[in-house]
């Protein structure tokens, strides 16, 4: 039998190209690896295309190429091809990267963003909004009492572990990048025809990120992540799956943040610490442009 193949491509235009916790090269590898992993795929090969603005210092480009190699080595993928183009100074913004990848899907489980079932549990693999708030702080040269650090990370090993152990108990996976958890869960709710209820008190947010969001008037649910996965699982297996995720380097702060309800309205709501509920709408526009 022919193996099933997954293919993904994305372009990265983050500003600034270097930030606490990573750079545009590391981000490009992780982003494509994580996209391929959302269906339980095993990423194998990547291509990298560079659009370089004339005048980019060679030492900066060399550092980014080194980051790409290190990120690919950690994820266990091979960079098999690539391309470089240079545009005139003023016609770009330092560096843009396109990353494409191929993965094999070596299981028969239905892991799809629309495959939610009533009473499923919703797990997030760690704290929210780390990447988006780090980019915003670096771009605006904001300083906070605690340093913000991007969460960019490869999640393919974590995903492979739980798929091999729990298989059909995993119903859906998505990486909540642009638009954050709010956008991703709204897409899943609308696509599946199910409603989702989040529990505010269980949603993990680092104290530094929470403080920065409060100062700037941002909701962590709407801020981008680059090293987190939303995983919707059979409720009866949720606690055991959570324990396994927490043994991973990139899942130590994982938490069950909500459940799929029996309401078929296709919406997302949040139960607050006061016991009230509010609707989590799909974001309108992009809060923070050029973050990935």
């Amino acid at each position: 039998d022919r193996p099933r193949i997954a293919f993904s491509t994305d372009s990265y235009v983050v500003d600034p190209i270097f930030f606490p916790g990573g750079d545009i090269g590391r981000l490009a590898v992780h982003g494509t690896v994580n996209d391929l992993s959302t269906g339980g795929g095993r990423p194998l090969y990547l291509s990298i295309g560079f659009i370089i603005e004339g005048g980019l210092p060679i030492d900066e480009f060399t550092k980014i190429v080194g980051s790409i190699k290190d990120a690919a080595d950690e994820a266990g993928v091979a960079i098999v091809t690539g391309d470089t183009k240079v545009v005139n100074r003023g016609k770009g913004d330092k560096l843009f990267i396109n990353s494409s990848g191929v993965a094999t899907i070596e299981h028969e489980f239905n892991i799809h963003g629309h495959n939610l079932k009533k009473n499923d549990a919703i797990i997030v693999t760690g704290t929210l909004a780390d990447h988006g708030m780090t980019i915003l702080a670096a771009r605006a040269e904001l300083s906070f009492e605690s340093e913000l650090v991007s969460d960019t990370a490869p999640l393919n090993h974590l995903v492979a572990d739980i798929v091999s152990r729990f298989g059909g108990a995993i119903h859906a996976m998505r990486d909540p990048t642009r638009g954050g958890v709010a956008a991703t869960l709204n897409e899943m709710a609308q696509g599946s025809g199910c409603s989702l209820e989040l529990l505010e008190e269980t949603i993990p947010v680092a104290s530094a990120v929470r403080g920065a969001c409060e100062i700037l008037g941002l909701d962590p649910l709407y801020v981008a992540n680059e090293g987190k996965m939303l995983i919707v699982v059979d409720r009866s297996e949720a606690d055991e799956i959570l324990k396994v995720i927490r043994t991973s380097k990139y899942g130590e702060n994982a938490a069950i943040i909500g459940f799929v309800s029996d309401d078929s309205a296709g919406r997302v709501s949040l139960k607050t610490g006061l016991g009230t509920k509010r609707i989590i709408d799909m974001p309108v526009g992009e809060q923070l442009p050029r973050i990935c």
Side-chain angles (χ1 to χ4, degrees):
D1 294 338
R2 290 184 179 181
R4 291 192 295 160
I5 299 295
F7 179 82
S8 179
T9 188
D10 204 351
S11 297
Y12 297 84
V13 295
V14 63
D15 174 32
I17 60 174
F18 294 97
F19 47 83
D23 57 45
I24 191 172
R26 184 173 170 85
L27 194 65
V29 173
H30 293 164
T32 298
V33 164
N34 293 345
D35 283 346
L36 292 168
S37 298
T38 58
R42 182 166 73 92
L44 297 174
Y45 309 113
L46 300 186
S47 73
I48 299 290
F50 299 101
I51 305 294
I52 306 169
E53 183 185 20
L56 178 72
I58 189 65
D59 61 328
E60 291 189 6
F61 183 68
T62 301
K63 184 176 180 180
I64 288 168
V65 171
S67 289
I68 289 173
K69 179 185 182 303
D70 291 344
D73 288 346
E74 182 183 6
V77 298
I79 308 293
V80 295
T81 189
D83 185 46
T84 301
K85 292 292 187 293
V86 179
V87 298
N88 293 337
R89 187 189 293 268
K91 299 298 183 180
D93 190 359
K94 294 186 178 179
L95 179 66
F96 301 148
I97 297 178
N98 174 269
S99 176
S100 299
V102 173
T104 55
I105 300 177
E106 300 167 355
H107 62 79
E108 298 300 323
F109 308 118
N110 182 14
I111 301 174
H112 190 279
H114 298 169
N115 190 36
L116 279 59
K117 302 183 187 326
K118 293 176 181 178
N119 297 317
D120 278 353
I122 305 164
I123 297 173
V124 67
T125 58
T127 54
L128 305 189
D130 300 289
H131 178 73
M133 295 310 297
T134 298
I135 295 300
L136 177 61
R139 184 183 301 166
E141 298 183 352
L142 302 174
S143 59
F144 298 95
E145 186 173 338
S146 298
E147 183 182 20
L148 302 176
V149 179
S150 171
D151 64 340
T152 180
L155 301 177
N156 53 316
H157 300 309
L158 182 159
V159 167
D161 189 19
I162 62 171
V163 170
S164 67
R165 294 192 192 206
F166 299 100
I170 301 169
H171 296 160
M173 287 190 287
R174 288 284 304 276
D175 53 333
T177 53
R178 295 175 183 86
V181 166
T184 302
L185 289 182
N186 267 282
E187 290 171 355
M188 295 171 81
Q190 292 165 14
S192 64
C194 296
S195 289
L196 315 179
E197 182 176 300
L198 306 183
L199 307 174
E200 184 178 45
E201 60 187 14
T202 68
I203 296 173
V205 182
S207 57
V209 171
R210 188 181 300 279
C213 285
E214 289 176 355
I215 290 170
L216 298 172
L218 297 173
D219 186 338
L221 289 172
Y222 290 87
V223 180
N225 313 270
E226 287 294 340
K228 302 298 187 305
M229 194 73 74
L230 286 166
I231 307 173
V232 183
V233 305
D234 188 304
R235 190 166 185 168
S236 66
E237 300 271 14
D239 289 337
E240 194 61 33
I241 293 171
L242 181 63
K243 288 179 184 178
V244 172
I245 292 172
R246 285 178 171 170
T247 65
S248 167
K249 175 182 179 181
Y250 297 119
E252 295 174 352
N253 297 308
I256 296 173
I257 62 169
F259 300 93
V260 179
S261 75
D262 56 5
D263 182 353
S264 61
R267 61 188 173 207
V268 181
S269 63
L270 177 75
K271 185 176 181 180
T272 71
L274 299 175
T276 60
K277 285 187 180 182
R278 67 180 176 94
I279 299 299
I280 304 298
D281 290 319
M282 178 70 81
V284 178
E286 193 170 12
Q287 279 188 322
L288 306 173
R290 299 274 314 271
I291 54 173
C292 53

